[in-house]
Amino acid sequence: MSTIKAKPRLRKRTIVLLVLAIAVAVFVWAKWATLRNLPNPWTRLTVMPLRGGAYWVKGGVSNTGFIVGDKGVIVIDTQMFQTTARTAFAEIAKVTPKPIRHVILTHVDPDHINGLPAYPLGIDVFAQANMRARLLDRLAHPGWSPFGPPGAIRQHLPNHIVDREADVTLEGVPLRLIHVAPAHTDGDLVIYLPRQRVVYAGDILTPSVGPDPGLHIDEGGSSLGWIRFMEELLRLDADIYVSGHGPALTKAEVRARLDTGVRRRAQIKAMIDRGMTLAQIKAALHDPPPTSEAAMFPSFPEDLDQELRPK
């Protein structure tokens, strides 16, 4: 009986095709697994008035804010999909006929920036310096995530960069753009409106995800930085805090989230210091399993295990 041996070239081609098939399968699975945990991006968007021309838009994957100024509109975060961004345009147009002239991005997550190509070319785009650097890196390495930034975002790159803090007046509206420290990511930017006493906090505040901080340690996030950022938010003369996910919060609710975060961080850090494994920590905490939107983020024990456990 003769044995037929595969030709080396054919064997190599088979291996390459197999590797590509596995890569495609992993990509599709990751996209599906992430998508099934997202809020429905096609739910109706609802404009929520605040005061003094400030609003936020509930619905989609994350919150959008906007401020109506003298001659134009300032938008804060642009939704995850361009279709949802255009729906937001229609809702804003019900409030004012003034054009959108400025966009401020709170951080680099796709659910806050991927709708940007729907906006007019040449629009002013504000962002923190680390956010812009991460965006450029993701554009240079487009395979990093199933929801990486669309290539068309290159035509809408941030052209007004904030390092730590900047006081600006846009469309007659005084704003303070604040970066305290790495927190949710290393490029978080909070928008404070002193006249309206309103803060747009991005994902520094994520009440619909749960009581814990939502951090991206792999994007430079920091639990101690989050605490510092929260302390700064509470020092502001504000009483409405618009979150990145979930409802707007009062100052008392922001303080309660900070207190919970500080207490939980100390509790989990003590367990890590005692050498407990992540599985043991989760079992000891008796946290309920994440559901819906909470599954978009690592849990706080997972964040702290990644951040604090000795490598």
Side-chain angles (χ1 to χ4, degrees):
M1 181 181 294
S2 62
T3 302
I4 301 175
K5 295 183 179 180
K7 294 181 179 180
R9 183 178 298 175
L10 183 60
R11 187 183 301 138
K12 183 177 180 180
R13 181 182 177 188
T14 301
I15 292 171
V16 170
L17 289 174
L18 180 61
V19 169
L20 287 174
I22 292 172
V24 168
V26 169
F27 179 87
V28 171
W29 177 87
K31 191 162 188 173
W32 173 82
T34 304
L35 186 60
R36 69 181 180 143
N37 292 321
L38 294 177
N40 184 350
W42 294 279
T43 55
R44 182 174 176 229
L45 301 185
T46 304
V47 172
M48 311 293 289
L50 299 170
R51 62 168 75 101
Y55 302 80
W56 67 281
V57 182
K58 179 173 71 172
V61 180
S62 61
N63 294 333
T64 291
F66 69 96
I67 307 135
V68 180
D70 291 341
K71 296 181 180 179
V73 176
I74 307 148
V75 169
I76 298 164
D77 288 341
T78 65
Q79 291 287 328
M80 185 163 190
F81 302 104
Q82 294 178 51
T83 52
T84 321
R86 294 188 184 97
T87 303
F89 297 165
E91 294 301 315
I92 293 171
K94 294 176 184 177
V95 174
T96 177
K98 296 174 183 178
I100 298 171
R101 292 184 168 176
H102 314 273
V103 170
I104 305 174
L105 302 173
T106 62
H107 61 291
V108 77
D109 285 355
D111 52 316
H112 295 258
I113 70 168
N114 278 12
L116 194 52
Y119 284 72
L121 292 175
I123 198 167
D124 284 338
V125 181
F126 292 76
Q128 203 276 336
N130 294 330
M131 180 275 178
R132 190 180 193 278
R134 284 194 179 273
L135 176 57
L136 290 173
D137 182 68
R138 290 180 181 183
L139 288 168
H141 304 90
W144 78 275
S145 162
F147 295 107
I153 212 169
R154 293 179 185 277
Q155 297 177 297
H156 296 77
L157 292 176
N159 53 4
H160 296 274
I161 307 304
V162 178
D163 184 18
R164 303 297 278 181
E165 186 174 300
D167 287 304
V168 298
T169 299
L170 302 176
E171 306 300 328
V173 181
L175 308 168
R176 181 173 299 164
L177 308 180
I178 302 169
H179 173 76
V180 176
H184 175 67
T185 69
D186 62 1
D188 299 306
L189 194 64
V190 158
I191 300 91
Y192 170 49
L193 280 63
R195 286 182 183 171
Q196 294 86 347
R197 301 178 66 219
V198 168
V199 172
Y200 293 93
D203 283 4
I204 303 296
L205 297 174
T206 53
S208 66
V209 175
D212 289 332
L215 307 179
H216 289 317
I217 302 302
D218 56 350
E219 294 176 6
S222 161
S223 57
L224 284 179
W226 179 87
I227 291 170
R228 288 179 55 199
F229 225 129
M230 290 285 282
E231 290 171 342
E232 180 61 27
L233 295 189
L234 289 168
R235 280 192 284 268
L236 297 173
D237 181 21
D239 58 3
I240 299 175
Y241 295 80
V242 179
S243 67
H245 297 267
L249 302 179
T250 64
K251 178 162 280 191
E253 289 170 326
V254 173
R255 185 174 290 109
R257 288 188 69 83
L258 173 58
D259 292 343
T260 297
V262 170
R263 174 180 55 79
R264 291 263 291 173
R265 184 186 187 277
Q267 180 185 23
I268 296 167
K269 182 179 184 302
M271 294 180 182
I272 293 172
D273 291 344
R274 291 199 299 269
M276 293 175 65
T277 66
L278 178 59
Q280 289 170 333
I281 291 170
K282 287 183 174 182
L285 292 172
H286 302 294
D287 290 343
T291 58
S292 185
E293 201 167 347
M296 291 171 55
F297 295 86
S299 68
F300 198 36
E302 290 167 342
D303 283 330
L304 293 178
D305 187 77
Q306 181 182 357
E307 180 187 24
L308 302 179
R309 190 175 298 278
K311 302 298 186 286

